[in-house]
Amino acid sequence: MALKIALSLLLGALTLAARPSQKPLPEAERTRWFRDAKFGLFIHWGPYAVIGRHEWARHRFQVPQAEYDKFARAFNPVNFNADAWAGLAREAGVRYVVITSKHHDGFSIYRSKVSDYDMEITPYAGDPFRLLADACRRQGLRFGFYHSIMDWHHPDYVPKRAWEVADPKGGNLPRFIDFMKEQLRELLTGYGDIAVVWFDGEWEHSIEEMRSDEVYDFIRKLQPNTLINDRLYKRAPGNRADFGTPEQFVPATGMQDPSGKPILWESCVTINTDSWGYNKYETEFKTERDLIRMLIEVVSKGGNLLLNVGPAPDGRIQSEFQTRLRAMGRWLKVNGEAIYETSASPFARLPFFGRATAKGSNLYLHVFQWPAGGVLRVPGLDNQALSARLLGQPAAKLPVRREGADVLISLPAAPPDEIASVVTLTLDGPPMVRPYVIRPDAQGMLRFGAESCEIETRFEQRAKKENFLGHVFVTRWIRPDDIPTWSFAVPAAGRYRVEITYGAAGASKGTGFTIAAGAAQASGAVDNTQGDWVFKTFPVGEIQLAAGEQTLQVKSAARAGVNAMNLERVTLTPVK
Ligand code: GLC
């Protein structure tokens, strides 16, 4: 080992000197590709795939090191075809790939000169990391790696797993960080341009212990343009990292630095329930509809989506992942113009079920539910609207008219894509919008439809909006922390009758809810509508509203695992 390290230090110094590493780009340009790419593929792969039960299997099953090593030695991806993986990534429409160089188990899926716990101990002769790096470049994809700081194998790493080591002392963290740097050197000097270094497993140490600044500068010296994620800095606000990493959820309003300025971020999400590594017996996968809409939502909030696959130990990517990735690619082939190189939606909320993105003078309206009456309302636009078209149907111009500050677009009878159809609205310049606020209609009534709420949440697997047969509703509402929220304004104080419309059956009955409008509140309990998709309207009392702009929220006392209700809308009707 010591000899290996000395040798590698020498080699490292040589490669560093010999390698005509990246020309440093000006700071503002360094992140441009990431800003434009929007969609990446995450790959978790290593000996845990042999077990086929989550990448934390060694910890969760408390597998002793010697036992686990048997799985590591059995890791033999005979069916691994790097070109097939990169081809699939390309077909999916991702622009970059991030693969685990080393996960928490400490095993390196490349040929490391400073570690004996790598491909060397497997029957497989190649270096999967190198093969994939090369294949990605052939496909025009950027390539980066995930690297775990926590290491359950390295003798110097502390803390040890308490369930495994009786006296969890020993180890030498400073020496471990030296080792980590040598692995980073190998990865950053031996495999061409590295787009991203994606740290994880940071929670056992402070920024000082991890020597984050030193590691950061070290990486930048080897590859000045590489992007570094925020876990090296424990996701601390205002850190030096290039982007934030929300895990398994989409932040309701994107991400901002402590001063409120938007920052780059990337939601990483599994296609299956929650296993990043291969899970042989998984039966639940997000639908292509959920995945496409999630990509759109992420992009409309200024982020990237890093969608994960955990390949099987033999090197194959299971068909459930392949079909979904290909479906996303097909959608992107038609609608990619509204995703790549766009910026976040200029609207915080919209009156229809869908999302918006923007590029130059184009506003892209991603419509998930064709609005009743076939008219799409684009609220509060201070531009001139020049023309509207559906992506994929460039010849057909859609009629556009104005109603006050709003632009109304007449849509054809049926949506070209049931998941999301994109209308390009071309303006006379970059969009200038007024915040969308719900106002009383001609009868003084206020309507809060599920389509126009934003769901605030702090959790993974949050409540989501769905639509079927003309209904748009909030569903999978299993946590009280998920709070549908609207903005509205009333010109004068007044009394209102509150009504709520939902579908609910079975266990939902009795779930308490509160409708909070400004300072007023009305509460009720969910009734049984005899079907989740049988929508019925119930009175919830009366409230007194103050004049002015305010928010309306529906809070539920959802119990874990039970959908509170399928919420379609709340209405406030003036009491005469
Ligand atoms: C979590 C998991 C880890 C996975 C990572 C991806 O930190 O513990 O296994 O690699 O999420 O973001």
Side-chain angles (χ1 to χ4, degrees), residues 200-351:
D200 187 38
E202 75 288 2
W203 48 85
E204 297 188 323
H205 297 287
S206 67
I207 289 172
E208 292 69 36
E209 286 167 338
M210 294 188 286
R211 299 174 7 220
S212 300
D213 278 338
E214 178 194 326
V215 170
Y216 180 100
D217 293 333
F218 178 75
I219 295 170
R220 275 291 145 69
K221 213 168 88 202
L222 296 172
Q223 294 218 20
N225 301 325
T226 299
L227 304 195
I228 301 171
N229 78 342
D230 66 344
R231 296 193 184 180
L232 179 62
Y233 286 99
K234 301 178 76 72
R235 316 197 203 183
N239 63 66
R240 294 169 79 197
D242 292 303
F243 61 96
T245 53
E247 184 173 312
Q248 298 285 39
F249 77 102
V250 182
T253 54
M255 282 180 85
Q256 295 80 27
D257 72 8
S259 77
K261 208 177 110 221
I263 60 164
L264 289 178
W265 56 276
E266 177 197 64
S267 278
C268 52
V269 172
T270 54
I271 296 177
N272 62 22
T273 315
D274 66 358
S275 182
W276 300 85
Y278 179 57
N279 188 356
K280 286 205 222 197
Y281 300 115
E282 176 70 88
T283 54
E284 277 185 41
F285 303 90
K286 292 183 183 70
T287 61
E288 57 183 70
R289 173 183 171 99
D290 281 344
L291 292 168
I292 289 168
R293 288 179 174 184
M294 183 186 282
L295 173 64
I296 296 167
E297 179 184 353
V298 163
V299 175
S300 80
K301 293 175 176 177
N304 286 14
L305 178 66
L306 186 65
L307 191 61
N308 182 75
V309 298
D314 72 347
R316 272 190 286 229
I317 294 179
Q318 65 192 91
S319 62
E320 289 88 348
F321 294 155
Q322 296 208 27
T323 51
R324 283 161 180 79
L325 288 170
R326 292 210 169 86
M328 295 179 83
R330 280 195 302 277
W331 186 86
L332 281 163
K333 239 193 162 69
V334 177
N335 300 292
E337 182 191 327
I339 295 289
Y340 306 118
E341 290 102 31
T342 61
S343 50
S345 172
F347 303 99
R349 303 204 215 294
L350 287 167

Side-chain angles (χ1 to χ4, degrees), residues 465-520:
K465 298 187 205 176
E466 249 308 350
N467 64 303
F468 294 117
L469 298 179
H471 298 275
V472 181
F473 49 94
V474 174
T475 190
R476 200 178 62 203
W477 191 0
I478 56 171
R479 289 192 172 99
D481 306 77
D482 293 355
I483 304 175
T485 303
W486 294 258
S487 304
F488 74 100
V490 284
R495 227 176 148 66
Y496 287 81
R497 201 172 70 235
V498 184
E499 286 177 314
I500 187 166
T501 304
Y502 57 78
S508 302
K509 188 175 157 72
T511 307
F513 64 85
T514 299
I515 299 168

